[in-house]
Amino acid sequence: MPGSRVGTTDMTRWWQSGTIYQVYPRSFQDSDGDGIGDLEGIRQRLGHLVALGVDAVWVSPFYPSPMADFGYDVADYCGVDPMFGTLEDFDGLIADAHGQGLKVVLDFVPNHTSERHPWFAESRAGRGSAKRDWYIWRDPASGGGPPNNWASNFGGSAWEYDEASGQYYYHAFLKEQPDLNWRNPQVRAAMNDVLRFWLERGVDGFRVDVIWHLMKDAGFRDNPDNPGFAEGQPDIARVLPVHSADQPEVFDVIAEMRATIEAYGDRVLIGEIYLPLERLVAYYGHDLSGVHLPFNFQLILSAWNARGLAELIETYERALPDGGWPNWVLGNHDQHRVASRIGAAQARVAAMLLLTLRGTPTIYYGDEIGMTDGEIAPEAVQDPWEKNEPGLGLGRDPERTPMHWTAADDAGFTTGTPWLPVGPAHEANVADQTGDPRSMLALHRRLLALRRAHEALSLGSFESVAATGDVLAYRRRRGGETFLIVLNLGHEPVAVDGLGQHRAILSTHLDREEARPAATIALRPDEGLILVP
Ligand code: GLC
Ligand code: MG
C-alpha cells in the first residue's frame, strides 16, 4: 500500500532474509560470441546462482545506450540494447529466474540520460523546446563561463556549453550524461512510468543509481572548496558537494518512487548512496517512506582492522532508524575487488563477516570465487573515468573483467574476443572450485546454506562481543538459537577465552568441525569461526 509503514515489525520480506548477487551483464556470460556478456548468457548461468544459494540477482543496466559509461548512459529506459538481447530475452530471463526461485532487481538510472536520449535531443533543440526544462540549462555566469563551480564526478567542470543556444547544461558525470531536472513534474511522471513498465514485466525491485544526486540546490550556489584536498585525489574532491547533492527535496522524489513500487506489492527499492553514515540513514526516509535499503558501502570504504570494523558495525546499528533494515555490501562494479583490497586469506574472513552480519548482504559477481582485479594495459582501458584522469588508480575496468567459469584461456566466458581481458582463470574458476570442498566457492555455499537454514543468522539480533587485538566477535540470536562469530583479522594465531563453552561448526578454512565444546577458542592466522554453545 502506498505510504504504508512496512518495517521489520509486521512481517519479514524476502529482501530482508535474502542475499543479493550483482551481475555486471557485460562480463558475466557471453552467449553469441561478440565478446560481451548478454541476457541469454545470464539466463544460462542461473543455475550457478541457485547452487550458490543467493536469493536475488541485481543486473546492472542493459538498456539501449551509446555505452559512454557502459550502460549508465541510457538512451531508452524501456528497451534492451541489441548487444544484450531483446525484450523477449528479458522476459525469458525473468520467467526462468522466477521459476528457479530467484528475484530479479533492475538498475534504474534516473539522475541522467544519455545525450542521445530523444528527450535530450528535443531539449537541446532550442530555448523554446517543450522539453527544455526536462534537463538543467543555465545561462553563463555574469562574467562568462560556467554558471557555477560544480565539478563532474569524472573530472572537469560539470557544465557543458551549447553553442547554438548560448546556455550550459549540467552533467554530474560525463558530458554524454546530461542530468534530468527532477523539479519538473513531467520528468517525475515519465520516470515513474518507466518503473511501472518494468514492474508490469514482473521485476522484483530496483537499485537506483546515484539516488542522492537527484535534487540540486534550487539557487545553484557554488560548492565550497575542500580544505582537505590533496594531490592524487580525483578532481571531484577539490570541492565539497554541499549544494550539488543530498538536498532535502530529494526525499519527496524518493517517496514517490516508493509509492509507485509499493502499489505492486512485495518489491524492493535500493538506493546507491555514497554518504557518511549519519546522512546515509536519512535515506530510510521520514516514517520509512524512503528506500528500503540505502546501500551501505562501509565495508568497502573502511580500513580492514578489527577495532575499526567493530566500531563501524556498532555505529551503524545505533544509527538505524526504528524499523530500518540494515544491509552490507562488499564489492561492486565501481570498487576494487575485495580479494585485491585485503588479500585472498582475509577475503574469506570478509565473506564470513558479510554473511553473518545482521542485514541484507550483497555479493559482487566473481567475489564468490575470490576473483582479483584484472590487469589492464594502458591500451586496453575502457573506463571513461580512467581515460579522463589517468594514473590515479581510479579506473574501474580491473573489477569488471569477465567471470571465470572454467580454467580455459577464455574462462568459458566467450568464444570471441572479450571486451576486457580475461584474468588468470586457472587460479580461480567455478568449475575447479565446484569440485574442491575447501574452495572459496565452497565457503560461500556453506555460509549461504547456513544463513538460509537459521533465522538467527539472517534475521536474528546482533550483539557485539568485547574482544581484543585482531579479533572481531559478535553473537546472533533468535528464538532459542545463538551463534557466536569470531574472526581473526590478523595473520597470527590467537586464542580467545572467557566467552563460555563453544564448538566450531564452520571455519573459513573449511577443515574444522568440532564435536565437543571447549572454553578456549583457538584461531589460526586469518581464520574465522562460526560457533555454537
Ligand atoms: C553509479 C554507477 C557508476 C556510474 C555512475 C554514473 O555510481 O554505479 O558505475 O558510472 O553511477 O551513472
Ligand atoms: Mg554477447
Side-chain angles (χ1 to χ4, degrees), residues 69 72 112 154 173 177 207 209-210 272 333-334 396 400:
D69 191 20
Y72 285 95
H112 42 266
F154 291 145
F173 293 87
Q177 296 168 293
R207 170 268 191 191
D209 193 61
V210 298
E272 184 207 20
H333 64 294
D334 297 324
R396 299 167 297 175
R400 296 175 177 180

Side-chain angles (χ1 to χ4, degrees), residues 56 337 343:
R337 284 193 179 270

Side-chain angles (χ1 to χ4, degrees), residues 184-225:
N184 182 319
Q186 292 175 335
V187 167
R188 287 159 81 140
M191 292 301 275
N192 276 278
D193 281 348
V194 170
L195 293 176
R196 287 186 200 98
F197 174 87
W198 293 106
L199 289 162
E200 294 287 344
R201 290 194 111 85
V203 308
D204 300 288
F206 300 92
R207 170 268 191 191
V208 186
D209 193 61
V210 298
I211 199 167
W212 84 108
H213 272 265
L214 294 182
M215 281 291 192
K216 305 50 159 130
D217 177 42
F220 290 89
R221 284 169 286 178
D222 273 349
N223 278 325
D225 286 341

Side-chain angles (χ1 to χ4, degrees), residues 374-496:
E375 276 181 46
I376 311 294
E379 63 278 8
V381 169
Q382 301 282 338
D383 183 20
W385 196 10
E386 177 68 24
K387 288 182 179 170
N388 283 355
E389 299 187 71
L392 299 177
L394 301 172
R396 299 167 297 175
D397 296 327
E399 58 266 24
R400 296 175 177 180
T401 58
M403 177 70 176
H404 298 173
W405 298 105
T406 70
D409 287 348
D410 63 14
F413 166 70
T414 184
T415 55
T417 308
W419 78 285
L420 277 175
V422 172
H426 57 278
E427 287 173 13
N429 66 76
V430 173
D432 289 348
Q433 293 195 14
T434 299
D436 173 1
R438 305 255 169 95
S439 66
M440 183 69 152
L441 181 59
L443 176 63
H444 275 83
R445 288 183 179 175
R446 292 279 300 273
L447 285 165
L448 283 158
L450 200 64
R451 188 179 175 96
R452 204 174 254 183
H454 300 278
E455 286 196 343
L457 286 172
S458 55
L459 301 168
S461 63
F462 173 90
E463 296 158 33
S464 56
V465 170
T468 48
D470 287 330
V471 176
L472 176 62
Y474 47 92
R475 286 196 181 85
R476 302 294 314 282
R477 234 193 264 274
R478 184 168 168 106
E481 267 193 316
T482 302
F483 291 89
L484 172 68
I485 294 96
V486 186
L487 308 173
N488 183 0
L489 274 75
H491 312 303
E492 300 295 329
V494 53
V496 180

Side-chain angles (χ1 to χ4, degrees), residues 85-301:
T86 62
L87 262 181
E88 288 65 48
D89 293 333
F90 176 79
D91 291 340
L93 170 62
I94 202 164
D96 274 23
H98 286 166
Q100 298 183 48
L102 292 167
K103 306 282 186 186
V104 177
V105 173
L106 296 200
D107 214 308
F108 181 50
V109 189
N111 181 68
H112 42 266
T113 68
S114 162
E115 60 168 348
R116 309 254 192 96
H117 195 294
W119 297 343
F120 189 66
E122 194 180 337
S123 183
R124 189 180 226 170
R127 291 192 186 217
S129 154
K131 287 206 169 53
R132 187 65 168 178
D133 185 51
W134 280 43
Y135 292 82
I136 299 171
W137 292 96
R138 310 285 292 176
D139 289 331
S142 44
N148 67 20
N149 72 348
W150 294 2
S152 157
N153 281 272
F154 291 145
S157 170
W159 296 96
E160 181 71 10
Y161 189 60
D162 175 56
E163 293 278 350
S165 65
Q167 286 192 311
Y168 286 84
Y169 68 85
Y170 176 68
H171 57 91
F173 293 87
L174 299 174
K175 67 176 181 351
E176 292 85 356
Q177 296 168 293
D179 278 44
L180 281 164
N181 175 17
W182 275 84
R183 291 182 191 272
N184 182 319
Q186 292 175 335
V187 167
R188 287 159 81 140
M191 292 301 275
N192 276 278
D193 281 348
V194 170
L195 293 176
R196 287 186 200 98
F197 174 87
W198 293 106
L199 289 162
E200 294 287 344
R201 290 194 111 85
V203 308
D204 300 288
F206 300 92
R207 170 268 191 191
V208 186
D209 193 61
V210 298
I211 199 167
W212 84 108
H213 272 265
L214 294 182
M215 281 291 192
K216 305 50 159 130
D217 177 42
F220 290 89
R221 284 169 286 178
D222 273 349
N223 278 325
D225 286 341
N226 175 10
F229 178 78
E231 284 311 320
Q233 290 179 352
D235 201 40
I236 183 72
R238 287 176 193 277
V239 286
L240 298 170
V242 173
H243 300 301
S244 50
D246 191 26
Q247 300 299 298
E249 299 97 314
V250 78
F251 296 103
D252 281 347
V253 170
I254 297 173
E256 221 169 272
M257 287 181 194
R258 172 70 180 265
T260 298
I261 74 147
E262 294 279 344
Y264 287 80
D266 196 12
R267 320 282 172 115
V268 70
L269 195 63
I270 305 171
E272 184 207 20
I273 301 156
Y274 284 93
L275 286 174
L277 268 186
E278 65 278 9
R279 289 303 308 149
L280 174 68
V281 294
Y283 284 76
Y284 285 99
H286 181 66
D287 273 343
L288 301 185
S289 61
V291 295
H292 294 109
L293 302 175
F295 258 158
N296 166 13
F297 301 123
Q298 298 298 318
L299 291 180
I300 298 177
L301 305 172

Side-chain angles (χ1 to χ4, degrees), residues 29-38 83:
Q29 176 68 61
D30 179 22
S31 74
D32 60 1
D34 68 351
I36 299 171
D38 40 52
M83 157 189 304

